[in-house]
């Protein structure tokens, strides 16, 4: 197979004209890939995405051809996918205030140009979910918030409207399903592309601990950092280091690796209702 692209977490290969999307155990924070892998992470992202594609099939098509048609060395962490023309927008839907959205709100009272009511704090539930797109920055650079009008300028009004509609619909379904497992979906990042017929379909990963913030509902309390089943745990750990968030990233100690893996596996099991078995 020919390697087409190596990203922060995923490697993309040509497979007989289709694409093979392989999730590694690499972990990135603040757009910096850390030197320490997290065991089973790539497989959790892949298997959880496959599960979500099925949960969302009535809302939006996706790029998945097969989750089993891959070389043995990539077992459990590779997706054979259709080729798409990827749209140059990171589509983020937010139901709660956290992360960069919180920082933007504190600075301007808005996120991606969407005005929010005064008095919100870290972890506040928003009056309704909002679409807060960002740019797709090259590896090593940072995404920037975009207004909806800027998305219109980039992809045209009909596609911008459809991206907002799909992002909010996927987020809403994700929140509904996760709630049954006692989990809040604070926010989620989605990617979409155009298929051969020009239809917008879901691509990459969906509603994983890498692309979303997952909080246990019974521990949610606005006004403080939330316990998270995602890589926010590693971001919080890194805040205590003398690190300027530029490469090279810090190595993870064993206890942080183990705790991160445990969070990824737990959210997989709680969402799907399935026991986790690492692929062999």
């Amino acid at each position: 197979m020919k390697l087409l692209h190596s990203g922060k977490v995923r490697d993309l290969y040509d497979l007989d004209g289709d694409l093979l999307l392989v999730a590694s155990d690499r972990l990135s924070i603040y757009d910096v890939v850390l030197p320490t892998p997290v065991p089973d992470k790539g497989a959790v992202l892949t298997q959880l995405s496959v599960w979500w594609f099925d949960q969302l099939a009535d809302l939006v098509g996706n790029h998945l051809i097969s989750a089993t048609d891959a070389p043995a060395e990539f077992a459990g962490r590779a997706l054979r996918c259709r080729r798409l023309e990827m749209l140059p927008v990171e589509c983020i839907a937010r139901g709660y205030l956290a992360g960069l959205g919180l920082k933007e709100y504190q600075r301007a009272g808005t996120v991606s140009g969407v005005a929010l009511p005064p008095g919100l704090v870290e972890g506040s539930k928003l009056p309704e979910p909002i679409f807060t797109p960002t740019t797709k920055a090259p590896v090593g650079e940072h995404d920037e918030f975009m207004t909806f009008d800027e998305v219109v300028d980039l992809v045209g009004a009909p596609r911008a409207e459809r991206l907002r509609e799909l992002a909010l619909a996927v987020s809403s379904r994700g929140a509904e399903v996760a709630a049954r497992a006692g989990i809040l979906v604070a926010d989620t990042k989605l990617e979409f592309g155009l298929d051969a017929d020009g239809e917008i379909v879901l691509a990459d990963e969906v509603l994983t601990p890498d692309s979303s913030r997952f909080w246990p509902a019974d521990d949610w309390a606005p006004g403080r950092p939330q316990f998270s089943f995602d890589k926010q745990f590693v971001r919080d750990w890194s805040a205590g280091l003398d690190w300027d968030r530029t490469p090279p990233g810090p190595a993870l100690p064993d206890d942080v690796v183990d705790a991160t893996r445990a969070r990824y596996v737990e959210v997989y099991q709680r969402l799907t209702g399935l026991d986790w078995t690492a692929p062999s």
Side-chain angles (χ1 to χ4, degrees), residues 3-252:
L3 177 64
L4 301 175
H5 175 72
S6 185
K8 293 190 289 287
V9 173
R10 287 173 174 76
D11 300 319
L12 191 63
Y13 296 86
D14 177 271
L15 182 61
D16 300 327
D18 296 325
L19 296 178
L20 190 71
L21 189 65
V22 181
S24 73
D25 291 338
R26 299 189 296 268
L27 188 146
S28 71
I29 57 173
Y30 307 116
D31 297 311
V32 175
V33 178
L34 304 185
T36 315
V38 176
D40 292 337
K41 176 177 173 287
V44 168
L45 300 181
T46 299
Q47 298 308 313
L48 189 55
S49 290
V50 171
W51 185 82
W52 277 116
F53 283 139
D54 184 59
Q55 305 299 310
L56 301 165
D58 61 314
L59 294 180
V60 59
N62 61 71
H63 66 165
L64 180 63
I65 296 173
S66 171
T68 58
D69 185 10
E73 64 191 288
F74 300 140
R77 56 189 184 93
L79 303 177
R80 185 170 187 158
C81 305
R82 294 185 284 160
R83 288 179 179 267
L84 303 175
E85 177 188 343
M86 297 303 294
L87 293 170
V89 180
E90 297 277 12
C91 295
I92 300 174
R94 299 179 187 273
Y96 295 78
L97 199 56
L100 292 178
L102 171 65
K103 293 184 186 301
E104 180 69 7
Y105 168 78
Q106 290 172 333
R107 184 187 69 81
T110 64
V111 184
S112 288
V114 178
L116 295 174
L120 300 180
V121 296
E122 181 172 5
S124 285
K125 184 175 182 178
L126 302 179
E128 61 182 11
I130 58 174
F131 178 58
T132 60
T134 71
T135 59
K136 280 188 179 180
V139 173
E141 298 183 22
H142 301 292
D143 298 337
E144 301 291 342
F145 283 112
M146 304 174 68
T147 66
F148 183 73
D149 286 344
E150 288 172 330
V151 179
V152 170
D153 291 341
L154 197 59
V155 301
R159 283 180 180 160
E161 292 282 0
R162 182 61 174 156
L163 287 175
R164 179 166 61 184
E165 175 189 357
L166 287 173
L168 293 174
V170 168
S171 173
S172 177
R173 174 66 60 80
E176 176 187 330
V177 172
R180 298 199 288 265
I183 291 173
L184 303 178
V185 181
D187 55 46
T188 193
K189 179 171 65 175
L190 305 163
E191 293 201 38
F192 296 93
L194 302 177
D195 67 12
D197 297 322
E199 291 293 318
I200 297 178
V201 299
L202 190 57
D204 198 48
E205 62 182 323
V206 57
L207 289 159
T208 72
D210 263 18
S211 65
S212 313
R213 283 185 174 84
F214 294 122
W215 299 338
D218 59 4
D219 188 58
W220 171 60
R224 61 163 174 80
Q226 311 298 314
F227 182 95
S228 62
F229 292 114
D230 53 71
K231 64 181 181 179
Q232 184 61 43
F233 171 72
V234 182
R235 294 189 192 100
D236 293 343
W237 166 81
S238 75
L241 304 178
D242 182 18
W243 177 50
D244 62 1
R245 300 183 181 180
T246 61
L252 300 179

